Amino acid sequence: MNHFQLILFIILAPITAIGQLVTNISMSPNVLVQNILNGTGVTISNVTYSGSAQAIGSFTAAGTNLGINSGIIMTTGTVQNTVDGPHGPNNSPGTGIDNGVVGDGQLGALAGGQTFNAAVLEFDFETCSDTVQFNYVFASEE
């Protein structure tokens, strides 16, 4: 390692060690929606989820560049902190997990082909306000 690389490592090491994604699969989809997505003046009903139990959970993202500090995480793989999960680094083309669940019919129709490992969360809500806001982040390893 040359002098420049050593200095770069010392400067970047504390910065990259700050962010941490923590996931949890202990809550049911209904509890996730009621406790994480639900806000003041909102009534949520008819929560349904289809997909693998390991493909949905809660997350906290303290110090990351995700842009959202906490919420619900869904994936076509696993949300657990494993080599195949979203915690990274995902630097191998073979990383990932096949849940063995079917795809989504509506998405398949749009894509013009079969899809796999769908994670679909649906719910109805009523609000006493004229505004509804959801913050989300879409990510992909492709």
Side-chain angles (χ1 to χ4, degrees):
M1 184 180 316
N2 66 35
H3 181 64
F4 175 74
Q5 289 172 326
L6 180 60
I7 291 172
L8 187 61
F9 175 75
I10 291 170
I11 292 171
L12 293 181
I15 295 170
T16 57
I18 293 171
Q20 184 175 8
L21 179 68
V22 177
T23 56
N24 185 324
I25 61 169
S26 66
M27 290 186 266
S28 71
N30 185 55
V31 172
L32 287 168
V33 172
Q34 295 291 347
N35 292 342
I36 294 175
L37 290 184
N38 200 357
T40 305
V42 177
T43 303
I44 294 179
S45 61
N46 301 322
V47 177
T48 61
Y49 172 73
S50 61
S52 170
Q54 66 183 349
I56 187 171
S58 62
F59 76 90
T60 56
T64 69
N65 63 356
L66 192 59
I68 300 175
N69 293 330
S70 64
I72 295 175
I73 183 170
M74 294 172 48
T75 179
T76 57
T78 179
V79 302
Q80 297 182 46
N81 189 1
T82 68
V83 173
D84 298 315
H87 301 78
N90 185 351
N91 53 10
S92 171
T95 303
I97 187 170
D98 182 354
N99 289 328
V101 296
V102 298
D104 181 69
Q106 292 176 333
L107 183 58
L110 285 172
Q114 189 174 6
T115 61
F116 304 92
N117 298 319
V120 180
L121 179 64
E122 298 178 278
F123 55 91
D124 298 328
F125 64 91
E126 293 181 33
T127 180
C128 59
S129 174
D130 63 353
T131 304
V132 175
Q133 179 178 345
F134 290 94
N135 295 323
Y136 67 94
V137 174
F138 176 82
S140 176
E141 65 181 85
E142 282 81 35

